[in-house]
Amino acid sequence: MKKIIFFFLLFAFTSITYAQKPTLKQLNKPNTTNQKDGSVATDSTKSANIKSGKDKKAVITDYLIISAARDTTYLDTTLSIKKEYKYNYLRRDNFGLMPFANVGQTYNRLTYDFDNTNLLPGYGAKAKHFNYLEVNDVNYYHVPTPLTELYYKTAFTQGQQLDAFFTTNTSRQFNLSIGYKGMRSLGFYQNSLTSTGNLRLTASYKTRNKRYVLNTHFTSQDIFNEENGGLKDDNLEFFESGDPDFTDRGVLEVNFENAENKLLGKRFYLNQSYDIIRPKDSVSSNRLQLAHVMTLEDKIYTFDQTSVDEDYFGEAFKSTSLSDRTELEQFSNQLQLNYSNAILGKLQFNATHNNYNYGYNQVVVLNQATIPNRLKGDVLSVGAKYNKHYKGFNIIGDVGLNISGDFDGNYIKGSASYQLNKDILANASINVNSVAPNFNTLLYQSDYKNYNWTNQFNNVKTQQLVFNVKSNKYVSLTLDLSTIQDYVYFAKGENGLVNPFQNTDQITYLKAKLEKEVKYKNFALDNTILYQNVQDDSNTLNVPQIVTRNTLYYSNHVFKKAMYLQTGVIFNYFSSYNMDGYDPLLSEFYTQNDQELGGFSRLDFFVNAKIRQTRIFLKAEHFNALFTDPNYYSAPNQPFRDFKIRFGLVWNFFL
């Protein structure tokens, strides 16, 4: 009820303010097609005007979006195939992720990226973090007039998705924004309800002379899932049979119907800087800046079950009302000294203090072993960054090192890019990292006896080399070679239950990704093909050899250019492999080598349209499920979703 009231108030507020001053028609002049991606280019040109003040005009490029790293882009309300890829629950391109049956559930990874600069362990419960907004996922804004965006998409049975956002500048110096993404979906299988909420509040301030700049945000997030453990083994045959009696997926038996898990997170973030020395004029380039970055974040993960399921999770300490709760409090402060000039480039020195407190409220004694209740302490780290444009090259360096505390950690990252011509950009990068594995692999407590452990694992060490060439005219190609030492993973032990393990052998992981769009008149074929190869004697890192997405679509203006239309078919496929299993108690995926899954295609038919600042999306998802055998899975015992028609829109309001 609280979410519904919030949606209503936010929508009512934006609608009222929008009605006070209507958008000018100049923002919607006849569209022209962007030759590179087939998108409508109207809103990315300065011909689009909005009234701002008495006589001034605001153009779409004045609506600025500022990242946590203070990189700036502007609002894009065009319609392109890339927007189709991002029109989903995560609101980003989910290539390489295999969704579960219900929207709001987790995703199985089809590919990995070991580009890591962390110096401290992660929280864990990684399956709950796909929709969790991290610091770098929160943007800041500077807008000449109030701006609203509404995202809506249908879900599966008794549910919807809504992402409502509003931002305004109270002055040229101060901006506020509020956004809430909420979702609820019952799903088609028993005990698979999902309900999530992501609240984000941001504020930006800068003095008139821009000497002092402040970006801050607050997030409050809850990600709730009912868990059923997947279909029972003896019901898999019913699912795969295609028998009409089982097309109602609610009649299929699941492993349990009395469990749920939830991830709660609250974060306060502050990033402020002050220019001690500023360039006096356009000729002078010396800048000396002092900056401070503070992050305070609390996370709570819970797993609740009304009665014990020993067949699935093993023996428990009690028979009813099982409740696991894991907490992490982290507080970090970083001081930065930034210096830049035209000759030297940009140089930063930083020092960071991290305080962490992870664990539980009691000590567990099991099999004459003591499981402690806390991992807490302080870590002091130092680092440096460098950026320089030199003879056409853009050179970036970044290093970090823990110098005190219970966790060792370090990383070195460097890259160099070169613009060969207007079309071709080449880049090479290296990343070497050593960091302790996630907290939940080092310490875990549960009412289920098997899920209690304390480990002294070695740091996970990764080395990554990446070569990338981007070209619209030819192809975009990425080669990624990673080696991983002391890889930590979850797997089933001799007792058939999930535990963390460490692979002391070296893993070699190669990825090659090719992207190319071919156009002929109003037709286009967009291709993304990923090849992967893993050399791992222990088979602890499993990925499909081939992952591909190919989209054939048509784009054109219709109704005397009042509407821009895109329609086509998306083909998704990944080769069969030993797909990771899912453990709902830990909310983690685990390695298994007993069952190969995959090797099935997914066909989606879509019709998208843009009318003024509104993008409308209609899709028939996985329509080939109507005439192919139901052998599609997202994880062992976890069927993928059946055919479903879904629709929605993204709507921008300008004052």
Side-chain angles (χ1 to χ4, degrees):
M1 179 59 69
K2 291 181 179 178
K3 294 180 181 179
I4 296 174
I5 294 174
F6 180 86
F7 291 153
F8 175 79
L9 291 176
L10 183 59
F11 181 80
F13 175 72
T14 54
S15 299
I16 292 170
T17 55
Y18 174 72
Q20 292 174 350
K21 188 186 294 183
T23 305
L24 290 187
K25 293 183 179 179
Q26 285 93 326
L27 190 62
N28 302 286
K29 289 184 176 181
N31 297 325
T32 58
T33 301
N34 185 317
Q35 294 300 317
K36 290 185 178 181
D37 61 3
S39 64
V40 179
T42 300
D43 303 320
S44 58
T45 66
K46 293 189 177 181
S47 64
N49 297 321
I50 307 169
K51 283 185 177 179
S52 176
K54 294 181 179 180
D55 299 317
K56 296 180 180 179
K57 298 287 186 179
V59 296
I60 197 69
T61 53
D62 291 334
Y63 291 80
L64 302 181
I65 303 171
I66 304 161
S67 71
R70 297 190 179 177
D71 296 325
T72 302
T73 58
Y74 58 85
L75 182 68
D76 179 13
T77 63
T78 61
L79 178 65
S80 68
I81 193 62
K82 305 303 180 186
K83 294 292 182 69
E84 162 61 32
Y85 297 153
K86 294 180 180 180
Y87 186 71
N88 55 53
Y89 169 62
L90 300 180
R91 301 209 66 183
R92 63 177 184 268
D93 191 342
N94 60 7
F95 177 79
L97 297 178
M98 184 62 192
F100 272 38
N102 196 10
V103 63
Q105 289 185 295
T106 188
Y107 297 77
N108 210 336
R109 289 191 177 275
L110 305 178
T111 183
Y112 291 86
D113 187 358
F114 290 97
D115 181 9
N116 189 5
T117 57
N118 294 332
L119 293 173
L120 285 178
Y123 177 59
K126 290 186 293 185
K128 303 290 287 185
H129 279 76
F130 288 98
N131 185 49
Y132 190 87
L133 297 177
E134 304 291 353
V135 168
N136 292 331
D137 297 321
V138 179
N139 293 320
Y140 309 89
Y141 301 87
H142 180 87
V143 292
T145 66
L147 167 68
T148 300
E149 180 175 279
L150 294 178
Y151 162 99
Y152 169 81
K153 190 173 185 179
T154 56
F156 299 133
T157 310
Q158 301 180 24
Q160 316 292 336
Q161 300 177 59
L162 178 66
D163 190 353
F165 168 78
F166 174 78
T167 182
T168 185
N169 268 67
T170 61
S171 68
R172 291 181 180 271
Q173 285 72 49
F174 188 64
N175 174 274
L176 291 170
S177 79
I178 179 172
Y180 187 86
K181 182 168 74 169
M183 190 280 308
R184 181 180 176 86
S185 180
L186 183 63
F188 297 107
Y189 293 87
Q190 298 179 44
N191 207 65
S192 61
L193 179 135
T194 61
S195 177
T196 66
N198 305 80
L199 171 68
R200 55 200 187 274
L201 304 170
T202 76
S204 300
Y205 173 76
K206 58 186 176 184
T207 55
R208 291 182 181 274
N209 60 6
K210 300 182 181 179
R211 184 181 290 270
Y212 175 77
V213 177
L214 167 72
N215 290 330
T216 184
H217 77 247
F218 171 79
T219 60
S220 179
Q221 306 180 70
D222 63 279
I223 301 170
F224 170 86
N225 296 95
E226 289 183 344
E227 298 288 356
N228 57 31
L231 298 183
K232 288 186 174 181
D233 290 339
D234 57 8
N235 271 247
L236 296 177
E237 182 180 352
F238 300 145
F239 168 74
E240 296 178 1
S241 67
D243 190 325
D245 292 337
F246 299 101
T247 53
D248 177 6
R249 301 309 189 188
V251 304
L252 295 172
E253 292 187 64
V254 294
N255 282 298
F256 44 83
E257 301 177 43
N258 59 353
E260 61 187 39
N261 57 28
K262 180 186 289 187
L263 175 65
L264 302 173
K266 288 182 171 59
R267 178 175 62 245
F268 176 73
Y269 173 82
L270 177 71
N271 186 331
Q272 55 185 338
S273 63
Y274 180 79
D275 289 346
I276 302 172
I277 300 175
R278 286 177 53 83
K280 297 180 179 179
D281 49 46
S282 59
V283 178
S284 174
S285 62
N286 290 311
R287 182 189 297 269
L288 182 64
Q289 181 186 83
L290 184 65
H292 169 233
V293 181
M294 182 187 75
T295 307
L296 174 62
E297 186 166 25
D298 293 341
K299 288 184 179 181
I300 299 174
Y301 173 71
T302 62
F303 176 83
D304 297 288
Q305 194 170 22
T306 56
S307 60
V308 173
D309 191 322
E310 293 189 356
D311 293 336
Y312 198 93
F313 296 114
E315 187 179 355
F317 289 109
K318 51 186 180 179
S319 59
T320 59
S321 300
L322 289 84
S323 181
D324 297 342
R325 178 185 173 97
T326 307
E327 300 182 21
L328 172 64
E329 298 176 358
Q330 271 190 298
F331 181 49
S332 70
N333 280 281
Q334 182 180 89
L335 289 177
Q336 302 173 357
L337 185 63
N338 300 297
Y339 177 75
S340 63
N341 66 28
I343 299 175
L344 180 63
K346 298 179 181 179
L347 182 63
Q348 178 191 111
F349 296 100
N350 59 68
T352 307
H353 171 260
N354 280 286
N355 175 267
Y356 61 91
N357 187 349
Y358 166 88
Y360 309 85
N361 294 325
Q362 68 280 325
V363 174
V364 174
V365 178
L366 180 64
N367 299 328
Q368 298 182 343
T370 300
I371 310 295
N373 67 319
R374 289 284 167 184
L375 294 174
K376 61 181 181 179
D378 297 273
V379 173
L380 182 63
S381 58
V382 295
K385 296 181 180 180
Y386 180 71
N387 183 211
K388 168 68 175 176
H389 291 273
Y390 179 73
K391 293 185 178 180
F393 287 91
N394 183 29
I395 302 170
I396 299 175
D398 188 4
V399 297
L401 172 68
N402 290 343
I403 58 175
S404 70
D406 293 331
F407 290 111
D408 295 329
N410 61 78
Y411 71 86
I412 300 175
K413 185 175 183 179
S415 68
S417 60
Y418 186 79
Q419 191 77 45
L420 298 174
N421 54 45
K422 291 183 179 181
D423 179 59
I424 302 176
L425 174 66
N427 178 274
S429 64
I430 183 172
N431 182 19
V432 179
N433 176 258
S434 175
V435 65
N438 290 340
F439 280 114
N440 68 339
T441 66
L442 302 175
L443 172 65
Y444 204 82
Q445 291 184 10
S446 171
D447 284 338
Y448 282 102
K449 293 182 179 181
N450 181 73
Y451 291 84
N452 290 270
W453 57 71
T454 178
N455 294 304
Q456 297 292 328
F457 287 137
N458 297 327
N459 276 14
V460 180
K461 307 166 191 68
T462 60
Q463 300 86 34
Q464 182 188 42
L465 285 172
V466 180
F467 300 94
N468 178 266
V469 177
K470 293 183 179 180
S471 171
N472 290 319
K473 183 179 179 180
Y474 301 104
V475 297
S476 294
L477 179 64
T478 301
L479 295 176
D480 184 331
L481 178 63
S482 299
T483 58
I484 308 101
Q485 189 77 35
D486 293 322
Y487 180 62
V488 173
Y489 62 100
F490 287 96
K492 289 186 176 181
E494 294 180 357
N495 58 0
L497 300 173
V498 175
N499 275 258
F501 298 91
Q502 185 159 53
N503 180 5
T504 57
D505 297 328
Q506 179 174 288
I507 301 172
T508 303
Y509 176 34
L510 172 67
K511 295 192 299 181
K513 184 178 181 181
L514 184 146
E515 298 173 271
K516 174 60 180 175
E517 185 175 49
V518 180
K519 289 191 172 185
Y520 177 73
K521 295 184 178 180
N522 292 324
F523 291 90
L525 177 62
D526 185 68
N527 304 283
T528 302
I529 302 172
L530 176 66
Y531 168 79
Q532 302 180 111
N533 183 274
V534 177
Q535 299 297 321
D536 175 16
D537 294 336
S538 301
N539 295 321
T540 56
L541 181 65
N542 296 326
V543 294
Q545 189 175 55
I546 299 294
V547 183
T548 182
R549 179 180 64 196
N550 310 92
T551 305
L552 177 64
Y553 67 100
Y554 171 85
S555 305
N556 203 359
H557 300 279
V558 295
F559 304 122
K560 297 182 179 180
K561 296 189 176 181
M563 175 191 290
Y564 185 73
L565 179 73
Q566 283 192 338
T567 181
V569 177
I570 303 175
F571 170 80
N572 283 284
Y573 172 84
F574 62 93
S575 55
S576 60
Y577 75 110
N578 292 324
M579 182 181 284
D580 288 348
Y582 173 64
D583 187 293
L585 189 151
L586 295 170
S587 198
E588 294 275 6
F589 285 91
Y590 62 88
T591 299
Q592 64 86 24
N593 292 292
D594 299 323
Q595 185 179 7
E596 279 198 1
L597 297 172
F600 61 89
S601 61
R602 293 175 286 146
L603 291 174
D604 302 331
F605 173 74
F606 67 91
V607 179
N608 301 334
K610 180 180 186 294
I611 306 172
R612 300 171 75 88
Q613 272 60 254
T614 305
R615 282 88 72 202
I616 303 169
F617 299 84
L618 174 66
K619 180 184 284 188
E621 297 184 353
H622 197 196
F623 69 83
N624 58 312
L626 296 172
F627 49 83
T628 57
D629 294 333
N631 61 348
Y632 35 84
Y633 290 88
S634 300
N637 293 72
Q638 298 280 356
F640 179 59
R641 61 191 59 158
D642 299 308
F643 166 70
K644 179 70 174 178
I645 296 177
R646 302 174 67 194
F647 64 90
L649 57 83
V650 178
W651 192 1
N652 288 107
F653 299 82
F654 297 90
L655 292 186

